[in-house]
Amino acid sequence: MLEQRIQQHFIDSADLKYQSGPVLSKPISQAMQAVLACVTSGGKILACGAGVSGLLAAQFASQFVGRFERERPELAAIALTGDATDPTADTAEAADPDRFARQVRALGQGGDVLLALSVSGKSAAVLAAVEAAHSRDMTVVALLGANGGSVGRALRETDVQVSVPHERALRIHEVHLLALHCLCDGVDAQLLGEQEAFT
């Protein structure tokens, strides 16, 4: 029984990733171009995520500053501090809806990119961060769930929205992680040249 349940998780995750590839490859490519343009012109990426998504934002920043799969010069990225344990973080009733916006206003400049993650698209804190980024003339790359929510509706034409076509949070997190890996890989490939894939 348990083994069957575990196998079903692998099957469901693989199915969603397989189905999402054709749908998300274009917006992920657009996100990669926005991130690349930012860092090659001396800008930085400010990454934030609602609740558990904050951990993915921190992982992205770590791989961007340090390394992904290849050695390269450091790239500027900062994970904005939040509370991954806050059960209301990915809702409109977030305990501190201004937590990310304050950091964006303090650290963000024109030409920077805000990388914002919210499974529900309803996070008051992520929405406020998007609005703060716009006030700083920053581009927003938003990784969201199926409908994009209020965060998706707040995006501008020059922003990039990557919406995973699924309703379950855990599956959306899995695809968000893959999308972040694609971003890191794509930037590295543009900066360092193509590398033999999957070695």
Side-chain angles (χ1 to χ4, degrees):
M1 175 70 177
L2 281 179
E3 288 183 15
Q4 185 179 4
R5 188 176 183 91
I6 291 165
Q7 289 175 27
Q8 192 61 50
H9 274 292
F10 277 86
I11 291 166
D12 292 347
S13 180
D15 282 348
L16 176 60
K17 289 172 183 170
Y18 183 77
Q19 294 167 18
S20 297
V23 176
L24 299 182
S25 58
K26 183 174 181 178
I28 292 172
S29 174
Q30 293 169 334
M32 187 268 295
Q33 293 297 335
V35 167
L36 183 66
C38 169
V39 296
T40 56
S41 61
K44 61 187 171 296
I45 313 300
L46 301 181
C48 68
V52 174
S53 293
L55 301 175
L56 295 181
Q59 179 179 334
F60 170 82
S62 174
Q63 290 174 327
F64 215 64
V65 171
R67 65 188 296 273
F68 181 56
E69 291 187 305
R70 296 190 268 175
E71 293 299 332
R72 56 154 166 73
E74 299 80 10
L75 299 174
I78 300 168
L80 305 182
T81 57
D83 183 359
T85 63
D86 178 3
T88 66
D90 203 20
T91 69
E93 292 80 36
D96 181 6
D98 209 34
R99 69 166 52 121
F100 298 134
R102 284 191 298 272
Q103 296 171 75
V104 171
R105 289 190 295 268
L107 301 169
Q109 299 176 1
D112 289 346
V113 167
L114 174 69
L115 175 64
L117 291 83
S118 171
V119 166
S120 72
K122 299 175 184 174
S123 168
V126 171
L127 177 61
V130 168
E131 292 167 349
H134 288 157
S135 75
R136 288 285 192 263
D137 293 322
M138 296 169 60
T139 299
V140 177
V141 171
L143 274 59
L144 306 169
N147 65 19
S150 55
V151 174
R153 290 189 295 276
L155 298 178
R156 295 178 173 171
E157 218 173 88
T158 53
D159 297 329
V160 181
Q161 180 172 335
V162 180
S163 289
V164 178
H166 207 273
E167 299 299 327
R168 289 186 72 185
L170 76 159
R171 297 281 94 92
I172 296 170
H173 284 307
E174 290 166 356
V175 178
H176 281 179
L177 176 60
L178 181 56
L180 294 173
H181 286 166
C182 289
L183 281 181
C184 289
D185 175 71
V187 169
D188 281 3
Q190 293 292 312
L191 293 176
L192 304 173
E194 293 290 337
Q195 182 185 32
E196 191 69 32
F198 313 115
T199 56

PDB file of all heavy atoms in Angstrom, residues 16-53:
ATOM      1  N   LEU A  16       3.228  15.548 -14.660  1.00  0.00           N
ATOM      2  CA  LEU A  16       3.057  16.999 -14.697  1.00  0.00           C
ATOM      3  C   LEU A  16       4.249  17.671 -15.373  1.00  0.00           C
ATOM      4  O   LEU A  16       4.081  18.578 -16.187  1.00  0.00           O
ATOM      5  CB  LEU A  16       2.852  17.564 -13.286  1.00  0.00           C
ATOM      6  CG  LEU A  16       2.749  19.083 -13.207  1.00  0.00           C
ATOM      7  CD1 LEU A  16       1.569  19.612 -14.035  1.00  0.00           C
ATOM      8  CD2 LEU A  16       2.635  19.550 -11.763  1.00  0.00           C
ATOM      9  N   LYS A  17       5.436  17.223 -15.049  1.00  0.00           N
ATOM     10  CA  LYS A  17       6.627  17.819 -15.669  1.00  0.00           C
ATOM     11  C   LYS A  17       6.623  17.590 -17.178  1.00  0.00           C
ATOM     12  O   LYS A  17       6.947  18.494 -17.952  1.00  0.00           O
ATOM     13  CB  LYS A  17       7.887  17.248 -15.025  1.00  0.00           C
ATOM     14  CG  LYS A  17       8.103  17.752 -13.605  1.00  0.00           C
ATOM     15  CD  LYS A  17       9.232  17.027 -12.916  1.00  0.00           C
ATOM     16  CE  LYS A  17       9.355  17.505 -11.479  1.00  0.00           C
ATOM     17  NZ  LYS A  17      10.266  16.676 -10.693  1.00  0.00           N
ATOM     18  N   TYR A  18       6.242  16.390 -17.594  1.00  0.00           N
ATOM     19  CA  TYR A  18       6.199  16.076 -19.020  1.00  0.00           C
ATOM     20  C   TYR A  18       5.181  16.959 -19.739  1.00  0.00           C
ATOM     21  O   TYR A  18       5.445  17.496 -20.810  1.00  0.00           O
ATOM     22  CB  TYR A  18       5.869  14.593 -19.202  1.00  0.00           C
ATOM     23  CG  TYR A  18       5.871  14.152 -20.641  1.00  0.00           C
ATOM     24  CD1 TYR A  18       7.069  13.926 -21.317  1.00  0.00           C
ATOM     25  CD2 TYR A  18       4.679  13.969 -21.329  1.00  0.00           C
ATOM     26  CE1 TYR A  18       7.074  13.527 -22.646  1.00  0.00           C
ATOM     27  CE2 TYR A  18       4.679  13.573 -22.650  1.00  0.00           C
ATOM     28  CZ  TYR A  18       5.878  13.348 -23.311  1.00  0.00           C
ATOM     29  OH  TYR A  18       5.870  12.964 -24.617  1.00  0.00           O
ATOM     30  N   GLN A  19       4.017  17.136 -19.122  1.00  0.00           N
ATOM     31  CA  GLN A  19       2.962  17.954 -19.730  1.00  0.00           C
ATOM     32  C   GLN A  19       3.303  19.440 -19.688  1.00  0.00           C
ATOM     33  O   GLN A  19       2.890  20.206 -20.563  1.00  0.00           O
ATOM     34  CB  GLN A  19       1.628  17.714 -19.015  1.00  0.00           C
ATOM     35  CG  GLN A  19       1.067  16.323 -19.186  1.00  0.00           C
ATOM     36  CD  GLN A  19      -0.074  16.032 -18.221  1.00  0.00           C
ATOM     37  OE1 GLN A  19      -0.667  16.944 -17.651  1.00  0.00           O
ATOM     38  NE2 GLN A  19      -0.372  14.764 -18.024  1.00  0.00           N
ATOM     39  N   SER A  20       4.044  19.867 -18.671  1.00  0.00           N
ATOM     40  CA  SER A  20       4.346  21.288 -18.495  1.00  0.00           C
ATOM     41  C   SER A  20       5.462  21.785 -19.409  1.00  0.00           C
ATOM     42  O   SER A  20       5.525  22.978 -19.708  1.00  0.00           O
ATOM     43  CB  SER A  20       4.741  21.571 -17.043  1.00  0.00           C
ATOM     44  OG  SER A  20       3.678  21.284 -16.170  1.00  0.00           O
ATOM     45  N   GLY A  21       6.323  20.898 -19.848  1.00  0.00           N
ATOM     46  CA  GLY A  21       7.469  21.304 -20.673  1.00  0.00           C
ATOM     47  C   GLY A  21       7.081  22.167 -21.865  1.00  0.00           C
ATOM     48  O   GLY A  21       7.589  23.288 -22.018  1.00  0.00           O
ATOM     49  N   PRO A  22       6.172  21.698 -22.733  1.00  0.00           N
ATOM     50  CA  PRO A  22       5.790  22.513 -23.894  1.00  0.00           C
ATOM     51  C   PRO A  22       5.093  23.818 -23.519  1.00  0.00           C
ATOM     52  O   PRO A  22       5.211  24.820 -24.215  1.00  0.00           O
ATOM     53  CB  PRO A  22       4.833  21.592 -24.673  1.00  0.00           C
ATOM     54  CG  PRO A  22       5.146  20.214 -24.206  1.00  0.00           C
ATOM     55  CD  PRO A  22       5.575  20.352 -22.783  1.00  0.00           C
ATOM     56  N   VAL A  23       4.362  23.815 -22.394  1.00  0.00           N
ATOM     57  CA  VAL A  23       3.614  24.998 -21.971  1.00  0.00           C
ATOM     58  C   VAL A  23       4.536  26.044 -21.347  1.00  0.00           C
ATOM     59  O   VAL A  23       4.364  27.246 -21.567  1.00  0.00           O
ATOM     60  CB  VAL A  23       2.515  24.600 -20.949  1.00  0.00           C
ATOM     61  CG1 VAL A  23       1.783  25.815 -20.411  1.00  0.00           C
ATOM     62  CG2 VAL A  23       1.539  23.609 -21.574  1.00  0.00           C
ATOM     63  N   LEU A  24       5.517  25.588 -20.584  1.00  0.00           N
ATOM     64  CA  LEU A  24       6.342  26.511 -19.796  1.00  0.00           C
ATOM     65  C   LEU A  24       7.686  26.861 -20.424  1.00  0.00           C
ATOM     66  O   LEU A  24       8.368  27.766 -19.943  1.00  0.00           O
ATOM     67  CB  LEU A  24       6.571  25.932 -18.389  1.00  0.00           C
ATOM     68  CG  LEU A  24       5.317  25.689 -17.549  1.00  0.00           C
ATOM     69  CD1 LEU A  24       5.698  25.164 -16.176  1.00  0.00           C
ATOM     70  CD2 LEU A  24       4.478  26.948 -17.430  1.00  0.00           C
ATOM     71  N   SER A  25       8.078  26.164 -21.499  1.00  0.00           N
ATOM     72  CA  SER A  25       9.406  26.429 -22.048  1.00  0.00           C
ATOM     73  C   SER A  25       9.546  27.871 -22.537  1.00  0.00           C
ATOM     74  O   SER A  25      10.594  28.499 -22.341  1.00  0.00           O
ATOM     75  CB  SER A  25       9.744  25.439 -23.169  1.00  0.00           C
ATOM     76  OG  SER A  25       8.785  25.505 -24.200  1.00  0.00           O
ATOM     77  N   LYS A  26       8.510  28.423 -23.149  1.00  0.00           N
ATOM     78  CA  LYS A  26       8.602  29.809 -23.635  1.00  0.00           C
ATOM     79  C   LYS A  26       8.678  30.808 -22.484  1.00  0.00           C
ATOM     80  O   LYS A  26       9.585  31.655 -22.459  1.00  0.00           O
ATOM     81  CB  LYS A  26       7.438  30.137 -24.564  1.00  0.00           C
ATOM     82  CG  LYS A  26       7.534  31.548 -25.137  1.00  0.00           C
ATOM     83  CD  LYS A  26       6.467  31.843 -26.158  1.00  0.00           C
ATOM     84  CE  LYS A  26       6.635  33.249 -26.719  1.00  0.00           C
ATOM     85  NZ  LYS A  26       5.631  33.552 -27.748  1.00  0.00           N
ATOM     86  N   PRO A  27       7.750  30.774 -21.491  1.00  0.00           N
ATOM     87  CA  PRO A  27       7.899  31.751 -20.403  1.00  0.00           C
ATOM     88  C   PRO A  27       9.181  31.570 -19.588  1.00  0.00           C
ATOM     89  O   PRO A  27       9.760  32.556 -19.131  1.00  0.00           O
ATOM     90  CB  PRO A  27       6.643  31.551 -19.547  1.00  0.00           C
ATOM     91  CG  PRO A  27       6.035  30.281 -19.987  1.00  0.00           C
ATOM     92  CD  PRO A  27       6.485  30.026 -21.383  1.00  0.00           C
ATOM     93  N   ILE A  28       9.651  30.337 -19.425  1.00  0.00           N
ATOM     94  CA  ILE A  28      10.909  30.147 -18.699  1.00  0.00           C
ATOM     95  C   ILE A  28      12.062  30.738 -19.505  1.00  0.00           C
ATOM     96  O   ILE A  28      12.971  31.359 -18.948  1.00  0.00           O
ATOM     97  CB  ILE A  28      11.148  28.658 -18.368  1.00  0.00           C
ATOM     98  CG1 ILE A  28      10.118  28.172 -17.333  1.00  0.00           C
ATOM     99  CG2 ILE A  28      12.561  28.441 -17.827  1.00  0.00           C
ATOM    100  CD1 ILE A  28      10.149  26.675 -17.080  1.00  0.00           C
ATOM    101  N   SER A  29      12.027  30.578 -20.821  1.00  0.00           N
ATOM    102  CA  SER A  29      13.050  31.183 -21.680  1.00  0.00           C
ATOM    103  C   SER A  29      13.007  32.704 -21.576  1.00  0.00           C
ATOM    104  O   SER A  29      14.057  33.369 -21.499  1.00  0.00           O
ATOM    105  CB  SER A  29      12.822  30.742 -23.132  1.00  0.00           C
ATOM    106  OG  SER A  29      13.707  31.413 -23.992  1.00  0.00           O
ATOM    107  N   GLN A  30      11.804  33.284 -21.542  1.00  0.00           N
ATOM    108  CA  GLN A  30      11.671  34.736 -21.385  1.00  0.00           C
ATOM    109  C   GLN A  30      12.206  35.179 -20.026  1.00  0.00           C
ATOM    110  O   GLN A  30      12.861  36.223 -19.906  1.00  0.00           O
ATOM    111  CB  GLN A  30      10.208  35.144 -21.548  1.00  0.00           C
ATOM    112  CG  GLN A  30       9.671  34.953 -22.950  1.00  0.00           C
ATOM    113  CD  GLN A  30       8.159  35.116 -23.022  1.00  0.00           C
ATOM    114  OE1 GLN A  30       7.434  34.909 -22.044  1.00  0.00           O
ATOM    115  NE2 GLN A  30       7.672  35.485 -24.199  1.00  0.00           N
ATOM    116  N   ALA A  31      11.936  34.386 -18.987  1.00  0.00           N
ATOM    117  CA  ALA A  31      12.445  34.697 -17.653  1.00  0.00           C
ATOM    118  C   ALA A  31      13.970  34.663 -17.644  1.00  0.00           C
ATOM    119  O   ALA A  31      14.627  35.530 -17.066  1.00  0.00           O
ATOM    120  CB  ALA A  31      11.883  33.702 -16.635  1.00  0.00           C
ATOM    121  N   MET A  32      14.539  33.651 -18.312  1.00  0.00           N
ATOM    122  CA  MET A  32      15.984  33.534 -18.379  1.00  0.00           C
ATOM    123  C   MET A  32      16.592  34.747 -19.075  1.00  0.00           C
ATOM    124  O   MET A  32      17.612  35.274 -18.636  1.00  0.00           O
ATOM    125  CB  MET A  32      16.359  32.239 -19.104  1.00  0.00           C
ATOM    126  CG  MET A  32      17.842  31.925 -19.097  1.00  0.00           C
ATOM    127  SD  MET A  32      18.723  32.552 -20.529  1.00  0.00           S
ATOM    128  CE  MET A  32      17.975  31.600 -21.822  1.00  0.00           C
ATOM    129  N   GLN A  33      15.970  35.211 -20.153  1.00  0.00           N
ATOM    130  CA  GLN A  33      16.479  36.387 -20.871  1.00  0.00           C
ATOM    131  C   GLN A  33      16.419  37.633 -19.981  1.00  0.00           C
ATOM    132  O   GLN A  33      17.341  38.460 -20.000  1.00  0.00           O
ATOM    133  CB  GLN A  33      15.688  36.610 -22.164  1.00  0.00           C
ATOM    134  CG  GLN A  33      15.888  35.516 -23.200  1.00  0.00           C
ATOM    135  CD  GLN A  33      17.325  35.413 -23.691  1.00  0.00           C
ATOM    136  OE1 GLN A  33      18.094  36.365 -23.646  1.00  0.00           O
ATOM    137  NE2 GLN A  33      17.702  34.230 -24.154  1.00  0.00           N
ATOM    138  N   ALA A  34      15.344  37.772 -19.194  1.00  0.00           N
ATOM    139  CA  ALA A  34      15.216  38.923 -18.290  1.00  0.00           C
ATOM    140  C   ALA A  34      16.295  38.885 -17.213  1.00  0.00           C
ATOM    141  O   ALA A  34      16.918  39.905 -16.896  1.00  0.00           O
ATOM    142  CB  ALA A  34      13.824  38.942 -17.655  1.00  0.00           C
ATOM    143  N   VAL A  35      16.526  37.698 -16.658  1.00  0.00           N
ATOM    144  CA  VAL A  35      17.549  37.536 -15.618  1.00  0.00           C
ATOM    145  C   VAL A  35      18.937  37.787 -16.200  1.00  0.00           C
ATOM    146  O   VAL A  35      19.765  38.482 -15.599  1.00  0.00           O
ATOM    147  CB  VAL A  35      17.433  36.125 -14.994  1.00  0.00           C
ATOM    148  CG1 VAL A  35      18.658  35.793 -14.153  1.00  0.00           C
ATOM    149  CG2 VAL A  35      16.161  36.025 -14.153  1.00  0.00           C
ATOM    150  N   LEU A  36      19.197  37.259 -17.376  1.00  0.00           N
ATOM    151  CA  LEU A  36      20.495  37.436 -18.022  1.00  0.00           C
ATOM    152  C   LEU A  36      20.758  38.907 -18.336  1.00  0.00           C
ATOM    153  O   LEU A  36      21.846  39.425 -18.069  1.00  0.00           O
ATOM    154  CB  LEU A  36      20.562  36.601 -19.299  1.00  0.00           C
ATOM    155  CG  LEU A  36      21.884  36.619 -20.048  1.00  0.00           C
ATOM    156  CD1 LEU A  36      22.990  35.957 -19.234  1.00  0.00           C
ATOM    157  CD2 LEU A  36      21.733  35.933 -21.404  1.00  0.00           C
ATOM    158  N   ALA A  37      19.757  39.584 -18.893  1.00  0.00           N
ATOM    159  CA  ALA A  37      19.909  41.012 -19.201  1.00  0.00           C
ATOM    160  C   ALA A  37      20.210  41.807 -17.937  1.00  0.00           C
ATOM    161  O   ALA A  37      21.019  42.739 -17.945  1.00  0.00           O
ATOM    162  CB  ALA A  37      18.646  41.539 -19.880  1.00  0.00           C
ATOM    163  N   CYS A  38      19.570  41.430 -16.854  1.00  0.00           N
ATOM    164  CA  CYS A  38      19.783  42.117 -15.573  1.00  0.00           C
ATOM    165  C   CYS A  38      21.224  41.968 -15.100  1.00  0.00           C
ATOM    166  O   CYS A  38      21.900  42.958 -14.831  1.00  0.00           O
ATOM    167  CB  CYS A  38      18.804  41.554 -14.528  1.00  0.00           C
ATOM    168  SG  CYS A  38      19.153  42.059 -12.836  1.00  0.00           S
ATOM    169  N   VAL A  39      21.698  40.745 -14.999  1.00  0.00           N
ATOM    170  CA  VAL A  39      23.020  40.532 -14.396  1.00  0.00           C
ATOM    171  C   VAL A  39      24.156  40.975 -15.321  1.00  0.00           C
ATOM    172  O   VAL A  39      25.206  41.403 -14.834  1.00  0.00           O
ATOM    173  CB  VAL A  39      23.225  39.071 -13.934  1.00  0.00           C
ATOM    174  CG1 VAL A  39      22.256  38.729 -12.822  1.00  0.00           C
ATOM    175  CG2 VAL A  39      23.123  38.089 -15.075  1.00  0.00           C
ATOM    176  N   THR A  40      23.949  40.908 -16.637  1.00  0.00           N
ATOM    177  CA  THR A  40      25.026  41.350 -17.534  1.00  0.00           C
ATOM    178  C   THR A  40      25.120  42.869 -17.613  1.00  0.00           C
ATOM    179  O   THR A  40      26.116  43.401 -18.101  1.00  0.00           O
ATOM    180  CB  THR A  40      24.857  40.760 -18.953  1.00  0.00           C
ATOM    181  OG1 THR A  40      23.567  41.099 -19.457  1.00  0.00           O
ATOM    182  CG2 THR A  40      25.044  39.247 -18.941  1.00  0.00           C
ATOM    183  N   SER A  41      24.104  43.557 -17.121  1.00  0.00           N
ATOM    184  CA  SER A  41      24.176  45.019 -17.093  1.00  0.00           C
ATOM    185  C   SER A  41      24.460  45.530 -15.674  1.00  0.00           C
ATOM    186  O   SER A  41      24.282  46.703 -15.389  1.00  0.00           O
ATOM    187  CB  SER A  41      22.879  45.622 -17.625  1.00  0.00           C
ATOM    188  OG  SER A  41      21.779  45.228 -16.820  1.00  0.00           O
ATOM    189  N   GLY A  42      24.901  44.635 -14.798  1.00  0.00           N
ATOM    190  CA  GLY A  42      25.303  45.042 -13.458  1.00  0.00           C
ATOM    191  C   GLY A  42      24.192  45.040 -12.429  1.00  0.00           C
ATOM    192  O   GLY A  42      24.381  45.531 -11.316  1.00  0.00           O
ATOM    193  N   GLY A  43      23.029  44.484 -12.778  1.00  0.00           N
ATOM    194  CA  GLY A  43      21.918  44.426 -11.829  1.00  0.00           C
ATOM    195  C   GLY A  43      21.977  43.194 -10.953  1.00  0.00           C
ATOM    196  O   GLY A  43      22.904  42.384 -11.025  1.00  0.00           O
ATOM    197  N   LYS A  44      20.949  43.054 -10.125  1.00  0.00           N
ATOM    198  CA  LYS A  44      20.875  41.913  -9.212  1.00  0.00           C
ATOM    199  C   LYS A  44      19.461  41.346  -9.195  1.00  0.00           C
ATOM    200  O   LYS A  44      18.504  42.018  -9.571  1.00  0.00           O
ATOM    201  CB  LYS A  44      21.293  42.329  -7.799  1.00  0.00           C
ATOM    202  CG  LYS A  44      20.424  43.398  -7.181  1.00  0.00           C
ATOM    203  CD  LYS A  44      21.005  43.881  -5.856  1.00  0.00           C
ATOM    204  CE  LYS A  44      20.261  45.102  -5.333  1.00  0.00           C
ATOM    205  NZ  LYS A  44      20.399  46.289  -6.217  1.00  0.00           N
ATOM    206  N   ILE A  45      19.366  40.115  -8.735  1.00  0.00           N
ATOM    207  CA  ILE A  45      18.083  39.437  -8.599  1.00  0.00           C
ATOM    208  C   ILE A  45      17.699  39.447  -7.129  1.00  0.00           C
ATOM    209  O   ILE A  45      18.486  39.036  -6.277  1.00  0.00           O
ATOM    210  CB  ILE A  45      18.167  37.974  -9.090  1.00  0.00           C
ATOM    211  CG1 ILE A  45      18.874  37.865 -10.442  1.00  0.00           C
ATOM    212  CG2 ILE A  45      16.775  37.342  -9.116  1.00  0.00           C
ATOM    213  CD1 ILE A  45      18.228  38.622 -11.558  1.00  0.00           C
ATOM    214  N   LEU A  46      16.510  39.932  -6.829  1.00  0.00           N
ATOM    215  CA  LEU A  46      15.955  39.826  -5.483  1.00  0.00           C
ATOM    216  C   LEU A  46      14.911  38.718  -5.539  1.00  0.00           C
ATOM    217  O   LEU A  46      13.941  38.809  -6.298  1.00  0.00           O
ATOM    218  CB  LEU A  46      15.309  41.137  -5.048  1.00  0.00           C
ATOM    219  CG  LEU A  46      16.206  42.374  -5.013  1.00  0.00           C
ATOM    220  CD1 LEU A  46      15.421  43.591  -4.525  1.00  0.00           C
ATOM    221  CD2 LEU A  46      17.424  42.139  -4.130  1.00  0.00           C
ATOM    222  N   ALA A  47      15.116  37.652  -4.778  1.00  0.00           N
ATOM    223  CA  ALA A  47      14.231  36.489  -4.831  1.00  0.00           C
ATOM    224  C   ALA A  47      13.436  36.364  -3.546  1.00  0.00           C
ATOM    225  O   ALA A  47      13.989  36.470  -2.453  1.00  0.00           O
ATOM    226  CB  ALA A  47      15.048  35.225  -5.072  1.00  0.00           C
ATOM    227  N   CYS A  48      12.129  36.142  -3.682  1.00  0.00           N
ATOM    228  CA  CYS A  48      11.298  35.945  -2.502  1.00  0.00           C
ATOM    229  C   CYS A  48      10.218  34.922  -2.805  1.00  0.00           C
ATOM    230  O   CYS A  48       9.824  34.723  -3.950  1.00  0.00           O
ATOM    231  CB  CYS A  48      10.668  37.257  -2.034  1.00  0.00           C
ATOM    232  SG  CYS A  48       9.423  37.939  -3.159  1.00  0.00           S
ATOM    233  N   GLY A  49       9.753  34.268  -1.754  1.00  0.00           N
ATOM    234  CA  GLY A  49       8.692  33.291  -1.919  1.00  0.00           C
ATOM    235  C   GLY A  49       7.823  33.218  -0.687  1.00  0.00           C
ATOM    236  O   GLY A  49       8.307  33.393   0.441  1.00  0.00           O
ATOM    237  N   ALA A  50       6.554  32.957  -0.912  1.00  0.00           N
ATOM    238  CA  ALA A  50       5.593  32.864   0.177  1.00  0.00           C
ATOM    239  C   ALA A  50       5.687  31.501   0.843  1.00  0.00           C
ATOM    240  O   ALA A  50       5.552  30.472   0.187  1.00  0.00           O
ATOM    241  CB  ALA A  50       4.174  33.094  -0.353  1.00  0.00           C
ATOM    242  N   GLY A  51       5.931  31.485   2.153  1.00  0.00           N
ATOM    243  CA  GLY A  51       5.985  30.231   2.896  1.00  0.00           C
ATOM    244  C   GLY A  51       7.111  29.348   2.410  1.00  0.00           C
ATOM    245  O   GLY A  51       8.263  29.776   2.283  1.00  0.00           O
ATOM    246  N   VAL A  52       6.777  28.098   2.089  1.00  0.00           N
ATOM    247  CA  VAL A  52       7.771  27.121   1.644  1.00  0.00           C
ATOM    248  C   VAL A  52       8.496  27.600   0.382  1.00  0.00           C
ATOM    249  O   VAL A  52       9.668  27.286   0.168  1.00  0.00           O
ATOM    250  CB  VAL A  52       7.098  25.753   1.409  1.00  0.00           C
ATOM    251  CG1 VAL A  52       8.061  24.752   0.798  1.00  0.00           C
ATOM    252  CG2 VAL A  52       6.544  25.210   2.722  1.00  0.00           C
ATOM    253  N   SER A  53       7.827  28.376  -0.449  1.00  0.00           N
ATOM    254  CA  SER A  53       8.464  28.895  -1.672  1.00  0.00           C
ATOM    255  C   SER A  53       9.673  29.763  -1.355  1.00  0.00           C
ATOM    256  O   SER A  53      10.554  29.935  -2.195  1.00  0.00           O
ATOM    257  CB  SER A  53       7.454  29.696  -2.503  1.00  0.00           C
ATOM    258  OG  SER A  53       6.444  28.850  -3.007  1.00  0.00           O
TER     259      SER A  53
END
